[in-house]
Amino acid sequence: MNEHLQSIEDEFAPLHKEVEDLDVTYKKRYIQTLFIYLGYMILPFILSIFVVLMLRNNPFAFKPVSAAENAIEYAVSDVNAVLVIRTDDFLNADPSYFPFFYNVFTLGDYSIYTHTSASFYMTDDVFELTDDSNNPVILTALGFNEIFNEEKTTWSNGAQISYYIPDVDEPNFTLNNPKLESVVRIEEGILPTTAFNALYSFIIYIIVTVPLIWICKPIIKTDYIQLKSSMTSSDVLSKTGIGVLYLFATNIFVNVIVIILQSLFGIPSEISANQLSINRMLSSEFAILMIITAVILAPIVEEFVFRKAIFGLIKNTKTALIVSSLIFGAIHITTELLEGDILLALTSGLSYIGGGFILGLIYIQNKKNIHINILVHMVYNLIGILLAFM
C-alpha cells in the first residue's frame, strides 16, 4: 500500500515544483537540446561530402543532366529568373519543374519562362494578363525588347533580372546580343534526384528528433502531467485553436508592415528561400516526407529548442521572448543572411519573427507547458501545407 502511494506521489511530484526549479533541474538537458539543433544546422554540410563521394554513381541519388535541365534547376531557385530554353527541352524535363514556371513568350523553337512565385506580374507593364489559369501572364513584344536589350534591368519590385540560358543551342537574340552582360550560361552537370533530396532531408530530421525526444523525456512527462491536471480536452482544443488564430492574425499584420517597408525602402517583394524549398518538396512525388517533417517533426524540434530550451536557460522571460523570436526568424532565412542582403532578409524574416513571438507568448500564457505550443505549431503548419496544395 505504501509503495503504491509513493508511486502516485512520485508521479505528481513535478506539480509541487516551481517552473524556475524545473528549469534549474533540466538546465543540462536544455543545453544538450541546443547542441543537437546546432548539429542539425551543420550535419547536412558535413554529410553531403561523404554522400556525394559514396553515392555519386547511384542513379537513385544523383543523375547526370543536360545543360538545359541544369539551367532549369538554377532558375527554379531564383524567383527573379528569366529562363531562355528550347521549348522541347523544357517539356522533356522533369515534370516536377512545371508548376514553378510560366511560359511567357515563344519565339521559334525557344521559349522564355519566368517564375510562378514572382511578385512583379501585377505591377510590371511588360506583362499582360491572360484567361489561362495555368499560364495567366504573357510577356509583351515591347517587354521582350526591353528585357533583351537591357533597357530594363530590374523588375517592378526592384529585384535584379537574372538570365539563365543553357550553353548549347543558344538563341541568336541572346548569343549575338552584346548588351546582355548578366546572362548565366549553364553547362551540363550532375544533380541530386528529387527522391533523394526528400529522403535525405527527412533522415537528417529524424537523426535530430529521436535523440532530442530521448533527452527531453522527463520534460515531456512533467509537462504532460501538469497539462492533464490543469486542463480538460476541450480546454486544450480551445487554446490550440485560439493560438492558431493568433498566428494567422499576426502573419496578416506583419505582411502589411512588410509591404510598407518594401514601398519605403525599395526592397524587392520575394518569397523566402525557405518557403520556396518547401514548395518544391511539396510538388514532388515524395511530398509525404515533407508533410511529416513540416507537420510533426519540425514543430516538436523547434518548440523544444526555441521555447523550452531558450526560456529554460534565460531567466528573464522578456529577454527570452525576444531572443527566441529573433533566432527563430533567423534560422528560417539563412539563405538571405548568407547572401548579405540585410533588408531583404529583414522583410523575409519578419513573418517568422512575428510567428516566433506569438509562439513565445502562448508558451508564457500556458505556464511554459510545451504541449500546447507543439499542438498550435502542428495545426498551423498543417493548414499552411493544405493552403499550399490548394
Side-chain angles (χ1 to χ4, degrees):
M1 182 68 175
N2 289 336
E3 290 179 359
H4 179 65
L5 290 174
Q6 184 61 47
S7 67
I8 295 175
E9 177 63 26
D10 290 342
E11 181 178 359
F12 286 91
L15 297 178
H16 306 313
K17 291 187 176 183
E18 295 294 329
V19 172
E20 289 77 6
D21 294 335
L22 290 173
D23 286 342
V24 172
T25 303
Y26 296 139
K27 183 176 180 180
K28 183 178 179 180
R29 297 180 187 273
Y30 296 149
I31 294 172
Q32 290 171 339
T33 296
L34 292 179
F35 271 106
I36 287 174
Y37 194 77
L38 181 62
Y40 162 71
M41 301 294 289
I42 299 172
L43 187 61
F45 299 102
I46 298 174
L47 284 182
S48 62
I49 299 171
F50 298 100
V51 166
V52 171
L53 291 175
M54 291 187 297
L55 300 177
R56 184 180 179 87
N57 297 319
N58 188 313
F60 173 79
F62 292 92
K63 60 178 181 180
V65 293
S66 65
E69 190 158 1
N70 210 14
I72 298 172
E73 177 66 27
Y74 274 85
V76 79
S77 301
D78 184 354
V79 294
N80 302 306
V82 169
L83 172 66
V84 182
I85 190 173
R86 283 185 177 274
T87 310
D88 288 343
D89 287 342
F90 183 86
L91 296 177
N92 291 327
D94 186 339
S96 66
Y97 291 125
F98 296 171
F100 294 94
F101 292 100
Y102 294 138
N103 182 344
V104 295
F105 199 90
T106 299
L107 185 63
D109 295 333
Y110 295 87
S111 286
I112 297 167
Y113 297 87
T114 53
H115 210 291
T116 55
S117 294
S119 62
F120 43 72
Y121 295 115
M122 299 298 291
T123 56
D124 207 313
D125 58 10
V126 300
F127 293 102
E128 288 182 354
L129 302 181
T130 73
D131 296 327
D132 185 351
S133 60
N134 294 318
N135 208 84
V137 292
I138 59 171
L139 181 67
T140 65
L142 181 60
F144 173 85
N145 289 328
E146 288 184 13
I147 289 173
F148 287 95
N149 286 318
E150 288 250 335
E151 296 171 10
K152 180 180 180 66
T153 57
T154 60
W155 297 116
S156 59
N157 63 1
Q160 190 76 25
I161 299 175
S162 359
Y163 302 83
Y164 297 93
I165 304 173
D167 69 346
V168 293
D169 296 328
E170 186 174 341
N172 289 333
F173 61 85
T174 63
L175 184 63
N176 299 321
N177 192 336
K179 292 186 177 180
L180 288 182
E181 298 178 354
S182 54
V183 170
V184 180
R185 291 178 172 85
I186 311 297
E187 300 177 349
E188 62 182 16
I190 297 176
L191 292 176
T193 64
T194 306
F196 180 71
N197 266 337
L199 185 61
Y200 183 69
S201 299
F202 180 73
I203 290 174
I204 291 292
Y205 232 107
I206 289 291
I207 290 173
V208 172
T209 305
V210 171
L212 186 145
I213 290 177
W214 178 260
I215 288 170
C216 295
K217 272 173 61 180
I219 303 171
I220 295 170
K221 182 179 179 181
T222 298
D223 279 18
Y224 177 72
I225 294 170
Q226 290 176 337
L227 185 70
K228 189 169 65 172
S229 68
S230 61
M231 293 187 199
T232 64
S233 297
S234 60
D235 290 333
V236 172
L237 290 175
S238 174
K239 287 181 177 292
T240 301
I242 291 171
V244 172
L245 290 177
Y246 280 156
L247 284 174
F248 276 108
T250 301
N251 195 40
I252 293 171
F253 174 76
V254 169
N255 282 339
V256 173
I257 300 298
V258 168
I259 291 171
I260 294 172
L261 290 174
Q262 288 168 343
S263 176
L264 288 175
F265 298 103
I267 306 169
S269 172
E270 295 184 17
I271 186 173
S272 71
N274 178 72
Q275 187 60 51
L276 183 57
S277 176
I278 292 172
N279 291 350
R280 289 193 63 187
M281 289 290 189
L282 290 176
S283 70
S284 76
E285 65 270 34
F286 294 89
I288 185 63
L289 297 180
M290 182 68 242
I291 294 171
I292 292 172
T293 300
V295 176
I296 299 175
L297 302 181
I300 292 173
V301 171
E302 291 180 357
E303 289 310 312
F304 273 105
V305 171
F306 297 106
R307 255 59 67 182
K308 183 60 75 175
I310 291 179
F311 277 83
L313 292 171
I314 299 176
K315 288 187 176 181
N316 186 291
T317 301
K318 291 181 180 178
T319 302
L321 178 61
I322 294 170
V323 170
S324 66
S325 302
L326 291 175
I327 298 177
F328 183 75
I331 61 103
H332 287 93
I333 53 167
T334 51
T335 300
E336 288 84 353
L337 289 172
L338 289 173
E339 289 176 351
D341 194 332
I342 302 303
L343 289 177
L344 181 58
L346 173 64
T347 53
S348 297
L350 274 179
S351 62
Y352 295 109
I353 294 171
F357 185 82
I358 294 300
L359 286 166
L361 289 179
I362 292 170
Y363 183 61
I364 295 167
Q365 289 172 356
N366 288 287
K367 300 179 180 179
K368 297 185 178 180
N369 193 296
I370 201 64
H371 292 287
I372 296 293
N373 268 70
I374 290 174
L375 287 173
V376 170
H377 203 150
M378 283 181 172
V379 174
Y380 180 75
N381 282 9
L382 176 60
I383 295 173
I385 294 289
L386 294 175
L387 291 174
F389 274 121
M390 294 169 62

